[in-house]
Amino acid sequence: MTKKRKRQGDFQKTKLKVGLKKPKADNATDVNFRSKTIHLPEQLKHGDSGPTTHRHLNIKDLLSQLHHFNSNVKQGALVGLRELLSANPTLVEQHASAVLSEVAALFTDKEGSVRAAAVRLLRFIAQCIPAERVAPFFPLLSAHLTCAMTHISEAIQEDALRVLDVLLEHYPGLLSQRHTVLLANFLELISQRRKAGTGLDKSGKGGYALTISTNRSVTAQQWRLTVLVRLGNFLQAVVEERPLEEGVTSRIGLGMWAGEKGSVTPVDVSWEDHVFGKGKIQVFENSGAIPTPRSTYRLRPDSKPGAGMDKELCSAETVQGFAGTLVPLLLEIWVEAAGGQRVQTDSGHLLSAESMALMFQILTILQLLRRLTPQRDQQDILDVWFRNSYLTDFKQHFMKNFPYGLLEVARFKKKADGKRSRQQVAGETVAGANVEPLAVNVTLCQVMVTLSLRGQDHVAAEDADWLGPIRVFIRETLSNGGKLSSKHLAALLEVVWRMIVTQRSRVVTDDLLQAVYVQYQQRNLGVSVRTLLLRFFSQLYIQEHQNHPHIARSKILACWLASLPVQLVLLGSRNPQLSAQLLDTVQPAAARGNKDLLQSLQKNACSLYDPQEGCVVVLPVESQKRLVQILHFLPAFPAELLACLSQVCNTGRVSASLATTLIRTIHLRSPLSGWSSSSQDVPVKDVDYLSFFFTTLTGFSSEMLQALQDTDEDGLLPSSTLSPLSVFTTTLEQFLHHWDVVEVVCHCLDTLGSRAQCFDVIQNAIIKNLCGLVVVPDCVCAAILRCVPRLLDVNFLPSDTLLHFLSDCCLSMLNLLLQLEQSARKRDAVWEACFAALSTVPRLLRLVLQSFRVCDLCEEELPVLAQILSLLLQHTQLRNHMMANASLLQHIIQDLTHFYGGETREQWLTDLLYCYSVTISSQRANMAMRDIY
């Protein structure tokens, strides 16, 4: 019997019996536990990720969202970036690289809302970051801008122009460096390249043809106007942002002509030719008249050449290559617009507002093309090329209906479809749509006059048919009495300048200058307009006077020059800037000896140099210097003018150095100083010369000195035994100013030929005008004591009257010297004057000592006398003079000692006796040494 094997399965089913408890499973969870809450406050805090928006997104989160596929997310990220950066301005420069690169990538986004938000964010960033911080990232911005301008989508192209507006507004210098690429992009926005050899291309070399797109929100003419406005702004930035050392003039108007003479020719070095060469290259600074503050050398160009612009815009050939493509397109645009205009009206000279704006932009671009070349010779080459290539076209399309006016179109309310209404609104918002007819006509004159060649009579005769209307228009515009804006006036003056220089006709010159002078004579002109007119006449005279005889002989210019001194008197200090510009013309004209100007200067000299209200005292320091320099060219100096100039030197309203220059100028113009002049035409008479110097020496006129005799002011020191004169104390500033003037007067008088005669004249003047005075200013006393010793001749003895007056002045000043405690400079000047007089003038010291009568002095004056004697004894160089009057000195000291002969002595008497004993002992020692040797 076989044994059955029991089979065991993997999964045994447990048999459950009714009434028994179900066994627990092997994986059953034990729920017999207790839980407690754990607080981790630090874990709930945000990490140090920087500032966030109201949606708690930091800058990294927002930048990452810019790559999201959803346009709403990208737009929200751009709005969040603007919110975050505006609340935290420091983040702008910290994350400039990342933000600019991400925003620039959205220039070509397919959604218009995203592009609009990107432009708004770019405008905000541009307001926060300066150009030097954006420069490292600008090539990336320019590359994305180029992609947007050349994009196949018309909407992206339109938004690209808004990006261009932002960059032109905030970074014109950086954007102008990318002209090699951007100029070609402008051409592709309004045209497309034609293949060479096609029927439309007659030259067989290929070119550009205008394009029309029906998918834009504006009409073709409005789109072209929009592009041309941006092209004009870009060319303006290229011209203005060119470095100054290259000689480019960035101003429209007179600056174009005024700055052309200072251009510098750059040095072009081809480094490829010297790669394998062994010779050395010497590089020198090519800075012209003004040294270059920084080097303009670049290791590599900023952008790769392309689109036919393989060179910098600094040569006529390069500009011709670009203009040869652009100008035909501009003419084609205008012909197309003018053709539609003629359908609406038969008057060719009346243009609609849109056509007016289009023509203005075309003419502005033509004008800027000429200014792309910085050098004068290159501009002349370009002018000749424009004349030979497009003069006929310009006369046919532009000058045929000149001057232009605005066509008034009656507008009727009419229901239109949605697309047409949107086009009208977009056309009205085009930049530069509102242009005045005057601006168009003036700009056309600017373009056309550049085509008139310089100094060719036969060419001028040929151009009379189109230069004549321009001349009539300018004359009527300037002479009709209307007030022009500074911008329009600057353009008109530029045209006038060009026509005067090129045509070289005296009739044309006087005709045009008469119109400008009528505008100049109008009243209530603005400061900017008045400045332009003044600068025009000034530069025309200064720059072109010698090169063009017809300008030098112009009666209008001579009449204007003669009116300048009168205008300067009337203008005064009301406008110091205009007065300075007037002086900028008056001084060179006077130096050139213009008779009309010199006669007017001579007639108005007393008003110009009036010491109270004249220009010489009310204008700033620089203008005062020019007025003093003009005195060197004045034909004559009458007595009235010299009296005014003397008061100008003494009033203190001009500096001491300027007063010194004025005195030396008059001294040099006098025949007494060796000035060579005929006997019939003497600028300064000898009598007037000496009168001027004596009045300047005293510092006060006779009327002022006479008025001081009856004054009762606080600064008046009463007379006494030790102060025979009543001294009028002046301020420290006035005294020091007059002291400097006295030094110059003494130097000029000291250089005259006959010293004895000069001293005799000064002595008689002092005796006649000063000796009888009771009240004398302290500066006058110091001046007399300083001047007399310097002019005194060894063989000439002064009169007793003069000596007694000098003695009184010296005593009064010594008494004043003891009262000057705070002003050290005034003390030094007073002592220097007294010492010079006492040590130089014979018998003066003896007269001073003789006036010391102790018996006539009161008790309060004795210490003053002792201090004066001690001061004289302490000076080494005066000891010999004091010892020469030893008996007189001894008598005075004995009287003082006898007066105070008691047991106690005052300190001032002790000091005096000590000084006297030291002086006597030193004198005896010197005599003993003399006996030994």
Side-chain angles (χ1 to χ4, degrees):
M1 181 176 176
T2 60
K3 187 178 179 179
K4 292 184 180 181
R5 187 178 179 181
K6 188 176 180 179
R7 187 177 180 182
Q8 296 182 358
D10 294 334
F11 301 98
Q12 295 290 333
K13 184 177 180 182
T14 304
K15 295 182 180 180
L16 301 178
K17 295 182 179 180
V18 179
L20 297 179
K21 190 176 180 179
K22 183 179 179 179
K24 294 182 179 181
D26 296 337
N27 58 350
T29 302
D30 186 9
V31 295
N32 296 325
F33 59 86
R34 294 180 180 180
S35 63
K36 294 183 179 180
T37 58
I38 301 175
H39 297 279
L40 300 175
E42 296 296 332
Q43 187 177 7
L44 298 178
K45 290 184 178 180
H46 294 285
D48 190 12
S49 58
T52 59
T53 62
H54 71 283
R55 297 172 56 192
H56 304 291
L57 297 175
N58 57 16
I59 191 169
K60 294 183 179 179
D61 300 334
L62 295 172
L63 291 176
S64 62
Q65 288 183 1
L66 295 180
H67 299 278
H68 202 274
F69 64 90
N70 193 334
S71 60
N72 294 329
V73 175
K74 289 188 286 187
Q75 183 180 359
L78 291 171
V79 175
L81 278 174
R82 185 176 180 182
E83 174 192 349
L84 183 63
L85 296 178
S86 60
N88 304 275
T90 58
L91 296 178
V92 179
E93 294 190 4
Q94 294 178 5
H95 303 275
S97 176
V99 173
L100 288 176
S101 61
E102 296 296 339
V103 172
L106 298 178
F107 292 166
T108 55
D109 193 88
K110 62 180 180 179
E111 294 295 333
S113 59
V114 176
R115 296 193 302 271
V119 173
R120 288 193 294 269
L121 180 58
L122 179 65
R123 185 180 298 276
F124 171 77
I125 296 174
Q127 296 173 356
C128 302
I129 307 180
E132 57 270 12
R133 301 291 181 87
V134 181
F137 321 116
F138 202 80
L140 182 62
L141 285 174
S142 176
H144 284 287
L145 175 62
T146 301
C147 293
M149 293 178 68
T150 58
H151 202 274
I152 194 173
S153 174
E154 289 82 0
I156 295 178
Q157 292 179 6
E158 295 175 2
D159 290 334
L161 295 182
R162 298 184 178 90
V163 175
L164 183 69
D165 292 338
V166 175
L167 298 181
L168 278 175
E169 180 181 358
H170 297 281
Y171 308 116
L174 297 176
L175 193 65
S176 62
Q177 299 175 4
R178 325 296 299 185
H179 57 80
T180 54
V181 177
L182 292 179
L183 289 178
N185 296 341
F186 280 108
L187 295 178
E188 295 180 3
L189 286 175
I190 58 175
S191 62
Q192 64 180 0
R193 187 181 293 274
R194 294 178 296 195
K195 295 182 179 180
T198 58
L200 296 175
D201 185 18
K202 300 179 181 180
S203 62
K205 299 180 180 180
Y208 286 86
L210 293 178
T211 57
I212 299 176
S213 177
T214 58
N215 297 327
R216 300 190 186 277
S217 59
V218 295
T219 62
Q221 185 172 344
Q222 293 172 351
W223 169 247
R224 292 165 186 167
L225 176 59
T226 304
V227 175
L228 292 181
V229 169
R230 270 66 175 202
L231 176 58
N233 296 336
F234 179 72
L235 292 177
Q236 184 69 30
V238 173
V239 172
E240 291 182 350
E241 298 299 329
R242 199 185 301 270
L244 294 178
E245 56 267 19
E246 294 183 12
V248 176
T249 58
S250 60
R251 295 180 298 170
I252 296 179
L254 295 179
M256 294 182 61
W257 306 105
E260 287 176 344
K261 296 188 177 182
S263 60
V264 177
T265 303
V267 177
D268 297 327
V269 179
S270 179
W271 299 104
E272 292 79 7
D273 299 338
H274 303 279
V275 172
F276 302 102
K278 298 181 180 181
K280 297 181 180 180
I281 301 177
Q282 295 182 352
V283 181
F284 301 93
E285 184 185 16
N286 183 33
S287 59
I290 303 177
T292 306
R294 58 185 176 83
S295 175
T296 58
Y297 171 73
R298 298 186 180 92
L299 184 63
R300 58 177 61 89
D302 294 332
S303 59
K304 294 182 180 181
M309 303 295 294
D310 54 347
K311 298 180 181 179
E312 296 292 331
L313 292 176
C314 60
S315 64
E317 292 78 7
T318 308
V319 179
Q320 289 176 15
F322 176 67
T325 303
L326 178 61
V327 175
L329 290 177
L330 298 178
L331 292 174
E332 189 175 350
I333 291 174
W334 174 244
V335 169
E336 182 178 336
Q341 181 71 28
R342 294 191 185 95
V343 174
Q344 300 177 7
T345 177
D346 296 334
S347 301
H349 66 282
L350 296 179
L351 301 178
S352 62
E354 187 173 347
S355 300
M356 189 77 69
L358 183 62
M359 186 176 191
F360 177 74
Q361 294 302 326
I362 292 174
L363 295 174
T364 303
I365 292 173
L366 291 176
Q367 184 183 8
L368 290 171
L369 285 176
R370 177 186 178 271
R371 297 176 58 197
L372 289 176
T373 54
Q375 290 78 24
R376 175 69 172 273
D377 55 345
Q378 296 293 324
Q379 289 184 355
D380 293 340
I381 295 174
L382 195 60
D383 291 340
V384 174
W385 179 79
F386 268 110
R387 177 186 176 87
N388 298 332
S389 302
Y390 300 108
L391 178 59
T392 304
D393 295 332
F394 288 173
K395 291 195 303 182
Q396 178 182 357
H397 300 298
F398 296 150
M399 293 301 300
K400 183 178 181 180
N401 299 314
F402 176 81
Y404 294 93
L406 183 62
L407 177 63
E408 298 293 340
V409 179
R411 296 185 179 182
F412 302 97
K413 292 185 178 180
K414 181 179 179 181
K415 186 177 180 180
D417 57 342
K419 182 177 179 181
R420 183 62 182 172
S421 62
R422 288 194 302 270
Q423 289 180 354
Q424 291 178 354
V425 172
E428 293 175 357
T429 57
V430 172
N434 297 324
V435 179
E436 299 178 2
L438 179 61
V440 174
N441 294 325
V442 171
T443 309
L444 179 57
C445 293
Q446 288 180 285
V447 173
M448 294 303 297
V449 294
T450 58
L451 304 182
S452 177
L453 301 183
R454 297 171 179 261
Q456 299 185 16
D457 298 334
H458 64 282
V459 175
E462 296 176 0
D463 297 341
D465 58 335
W466 56 273
L467 283 177
I470 293 178
R471 176 181 164 188
V472 173
F473 168 76
I474 293 174
R475 184 177 63 248
E476 293 179 352
T477 305
L478 293 174
S479 305
N480 59 4
K483 293 185 178 180
L484 302 172
S485 64
S486 58
K487 184 178 180 180
H488 294 160
L489 180 61
L492 285 171
L493 294 180
E494 180 188 351
V495 176
V496 172
W497 185 299
R498 178 80 184 204
M499 295 184 69
I500 290 176
V501 173
T502 55
Q503 295 195 18
R504 299 184 179 181
S505 171
R506 186 173 179 180
V507 177
V508 175
T509 300
D510 286 340
D511 187 20
L512 295 176
L513 289 183
Q514 177 64 35
V516 179
Y517 193 60
V518 170
Q519 184 74 17
Y520 182 82
Q521 289 179 318
Q522 289 188 10
R523 296 183 177 181
N524 301 324
L525 291 178
V527 177
S528 58
V529 174
R530 181 73 68 185
T531 304
L532 276 176
L533 291 167
L534 183 60
R535 188 180 303 167
F536 168 79
F537 279 113
S538 176
Q539 294 182 359
L540 183 66
Y541 175 76
I542 295 174
Q543 296 183 9
E544 307 293 346
H545 178 268
Q546 297 179 350
N547 300 329
H548 300 280
H550 66 284
I551 297 178
R553 294 192 298 265
S554 174
K555 296 181 179 179
I556 306 300
L557 194 59
C559 181
W560 175 77
L561 287 172
S563 66
L564 292 183
V566 181
Q567 298 176 34
L568 195 58
V569 172
L570 297 176
L571 188 61
S573 61
R574 289 183 295 177
N575 194 323
Q577 290 78 15
L578 279 180
S579 298
Q581 291 188 10
L582 288 173
L583 290 173
D584 290 340
T585 307
V586 171
Q587 185 179 7
R592 294 176 180 179
N594 188 276
K595 295 182 180 180
D596 301 301
L597 176 68
L598 291 178
Q599 291 177 1
S600 181
L601 271 177
Q602 189 69 57
K603 184 178 180 181
N604 299 276
C606 292
S607 301
L608 288 172
Y609 297 96
D610 185 80
Q612 301 299 328
E613 299 178 356
C615 296
V616 73
V617 294
V618 299
L619 290 180
V621 178
E622 293 299 326
S623 299
Q624 290 178 352
K625 290 181 180 179
R626 290 185 175 274
L627 282 168
V628 172
Q629 293 169 0
I630 290 173
L631 288 174
H632 187 77
F633 310 103
L634 206 61
F637 292 84
E640 299 81 6
L641 177 59
L642 290 175
C644 294
L645 294 177
S646 178
Q647 295 184 35
V648 167
C649 295
N650 292 320
T651 53
R653 301 183 67 177
V654 298
S655 62
S657 60
L658 195 58
T660 300
T661 306
L662 191 153
I663 295 171
R664 288 177 177 174
T665 301
I666 297 176
H667 172 69
L668 293 175
R669 294 298 305 276
S670 172
L672 294 176
S673 64
W675 181 271
S676 60
S677 61
S678 61
S679 58
Q680 299 178 356
D681 186 15
V682 178
V684 185
K685 296 180 181 180
D686 297 345
V687 177
D688 297 336
Y689 171 85
L690 294 173
S691 177
F692 165 79
F693 273 90
F694 180 76
T695 306
T696 309
L697 177 67
T698 57
F700 289 82
S701 63
S702 59
E703 293 80 5
M704 298 173 64
L705 290 175
Q706 192 62 35
L708 282 177
Q709 307 309 309
D710 302 328
T711 187
D712 190 15
E713 298 184 4
D714 297 335
L716 187 63
L717 298 179
S719 60
S720 61
T721 306
L722 293 179
S723 179
L725 299 176
S726 181
V727 179
F728 176 76
T729 57
T730 57
T731 61
L732 177 62
E733 182 181 0
Q734 182 180 357
F735 183 89
L736 295 178
H737 174 83
H738 186 255
W739 183 255
D740 295 335
V741 171
V742 167
E743 290 290 339
V744 182
V745 171
C746 294
H747 174 74
C748 294
L749 294 177
D750 195 17
T751 58
L752 297 182
S754 179
R755 194 166 183 176
Q757 293 180 0
C758 178
F759 181 81
D760 189 19
V761 172
I762 298 298
Q763 175 181 255
N764 294 332
I766 293 175
I767 294 173
K768 180 180 179 181
N769 297 280
L770 301 178
C771 287
L773 299 179
V774 179
V775 180
V776 181
D778 54 358
C779 59
V780 176
C781 293
I784 298 301
L785 293 175
R786 186 72 179 94
C787 179
V788 170
R790 291 194 60 173
L791 300 181
L792 182 61
D793 191 76
V794 179
N795 301 322
F796 190 88
L797 294 177
S799 64
D800 294 338
T801 307
L802 178 62
L803 286 176
H804 284 88
F805 179 73
L806 292 178
S807 175
D808 294 343
C809 290
C810 192
L811 273 176
S812 302
M813 295 307 291
L814 288 174
N815 187 28
L816 176 65
L817 181 64
L818 299 179
Q819 302 179 19
L820 297 175
E821 298 178 356
Q822 298 180 356
S823 53
R825 294 183 60 189
K826 190 172 183 179
R827 284 172 54 90
D828 295 340
V830 170
W831 172 247
E832 181 182 354
C834 293
F835 166 72
L838 292 173
S839 61
T840 306
V841 180
R843 299 189 300 160
L844 179 59
L845 181 58
R846 185 173 184 84
L847 288 176
V848 172
L849 294 177
Q850 288 177 355
S851 61
F852 293 153
R853 292 185 292 272
V854 180
C855 59
D856 297 337
L857 300 178
C858 61
E859 187 176 355
E860 291 79 8
E861 293 177 341
L862 293 178
V864 178
L865 175 59
Q867 293 179 18
I868 294 175
L869 291 175
S870 301
L871 187 63
L872 296 177
L873 289 172
Q874 289 175 4
H875 203 284
T876 306
Q877 298 181 6
L878 282 178
R879 286 178 181 177
N880 295 331
H881 299 278
M882 295 293 289
M883 288 299 99
N885 302 283
S887 59
L888 186 58
L889 179 62
Q890 184 179 2
H891 180 70
I892 296 173
I893 294 178
Q894 287 178 357
D895 291 343
L896 286 173
T897 307
H898 177 72
F899 191 80
Y900 283 93
E903 298 179 356
T904 59
R905 291 181 178 177
E906 297 290 340
Q907 183 63 36
W908 54 266
L909 182 57
T910 304
D911 295 340
L912 176 60
L913 294 176
Y914 174 76
C915 293
Y916 178 71
S917 61
V918 171
T919 304
I920 293 298
S921 60
S922 61
Q923 182 68 17
R924 291 175 180 176
N926 293 335
M927 293 178 64
M929 292 297 295
R930 190 181 306 115
D931 294 339
I932 291 174
Y933 291 100

